Amino acid sequence: MFNVGDKIVYPMHGAGTIDSIEEKSLLGEKQSYYIIRMPGEVKVMVPTAKATEVGVRSIIDKTATHKVFDILEENETEMSSNWNKRYRDNMDKIKSGDIYEVADVVRNLSFKQKEKGTLSTGEKKMLNNAKQILVSELVLAEHASQEEVENLVESKISLAFEENRVVNDNSIKVSENIVSKFIPFNGTNDEKNNV
């Protein structure tokens, strides 16, 4: 049971604060509801009896925020090349309500967007939703503004993208140099000249 003032996460919607707990009569049935104030002054009602069942949880603590930022700084994880499977996999991660899974989706789709220059409409919408969910929880956990958190998330992803792409490019150049050092490609066949 959560209390008024608690900061909680509602999967697929993000993090918010419980404004009140009210009894409402819907379809002739009286139930108790958490009234959650979400970012943008949106209010969401969640039946208190079903809160755990739908995945409502407390926001993460400071230690967990560091792990989220670590995930954003890592290289992308493997995603299916099949658009439908990739979309379903990412949607399952977002629906889980697990902030680490959401961070994984945000990083992976951001990398994909940086590589290709754009995303499909569906994945672009998914990335925006996942970012909103991620940022809403980090704002409450870090006691920071939305703009500060958005900038931090973007800078961590951009840095990770640059580092991982530069490392990959350098490793290719290093292997080419090693190959050319041991196998001369100057158009002559040294064995024939030595015979």
Side-chain angles (χ1 to χ4, degrees):
M1 184 80 177
F2 298 103
N3 300 306
V4 173
D6 285 355
K7 293 169 175 41
I8 60 172
V9 175
Y10 184 23
M12 294 296 294
H13 292 83
T17 306
I18 298 176
D19 263 359
S20 60
I21 301 171
E22 301 174 7
E23 242 183 50
K24 303 248 183 211
S25 184
L26 291 177
L27 304 170
E29 190 182 330
K30 266 192 164 185
Q31 277 193 61
S32 184
Y33 289 87
Y34 293 119
I35 311 300
I36 308 166
R37 185 175 21 90
M38 307 299 277
E41 296 311 307
V42 174
K43 291 201 175 183
V44 178
M45 288 180 12
V46 179
T48 58
K50 294 189 178 190
T52 308
E53 188 182 316
V54 296
V56 172
R57 63 171 173 78
S58 296
I59 64 165
I60 57 173
D61 60 16
K62 280 276 196 191
T63 309
T65 62
H66 295 299
K67 186 174 174 189
V68 170
F69 290 126
D70 288 346
I71 289 169
L72 295 175
E73 291 174 334
E74 292 170 3
N75 199 357
E76 65 190 318
T77 51
E78 195 173 321
M79 292 191 295
S80 173
S81 56
N82 177 294
W83 187 90
N84 285 331
K85 178 159 179 20
R86 184 172 66 240
Y87 190 88
R88 279 194 314 272
D89 291 347
N90 284 333
M91 187 57 76
D92 288 344
K93 287 180 178 184
I94 295 169
K95 281 181 182 175
S96 75
D98 182 328
I99 193 165
Y100 305 127
E101 295 285 333
V102 175
D104 192 63
V105 170
V106 169
R107 185 203 56 236
N108 285 351
L109 288 179
S110 294
F111 271 38
K112 191 166 183 52
Q113 186 174 42
K114 287 176 185 298
E115 280 172 2
K116 302 223 186 262
T118 187
L119 290 172
S120 68
T121 306
E123 284 189 320
K124 195 180 295 184
K125 188 176 179 190
M126 178 181 277
L127 174 58
N128 290 337
N129 289 342
K131 264 188 195 171
Q132 184 269 318
I133 291 167
L134 181 71
V135 167
S136 70
E137 185 165 1
L138 291 173
V139 163
L140 295 176
E142 287 285 312
H143 306 287
S145 74
Q146 184 168 335
E147 188 179 348
E148 288 171 327
V149 172
E150 284 173 351
N151 289 339
L152 188 57
V153 167
E154 282 303 319
S155 70
K156 295 222 178 263
I157 289 170
S158 293
L159 187 64
F161 181 78
E162 287 171 25
E163 283 179 356
N164 288 297
R165 290 308 167 263
V166 168
V167 166
N168 290 343
D169 290 348
N170 284 344
S171 65
I172 290 167
K173 287 176 185 157
V174 166
S175 62
E176 285 171 356
N177 290 342
I178 291 169
V179 168
S180 62
K181 185 175 182 180
F182 293 107
I183 305 170
F185 291 107
N186 57 8
T188 62
N189 188 339
D190 291 332
E191 272 185 36
K192 283 183 183 174
N193 294 337
N194 292 336
V195 174

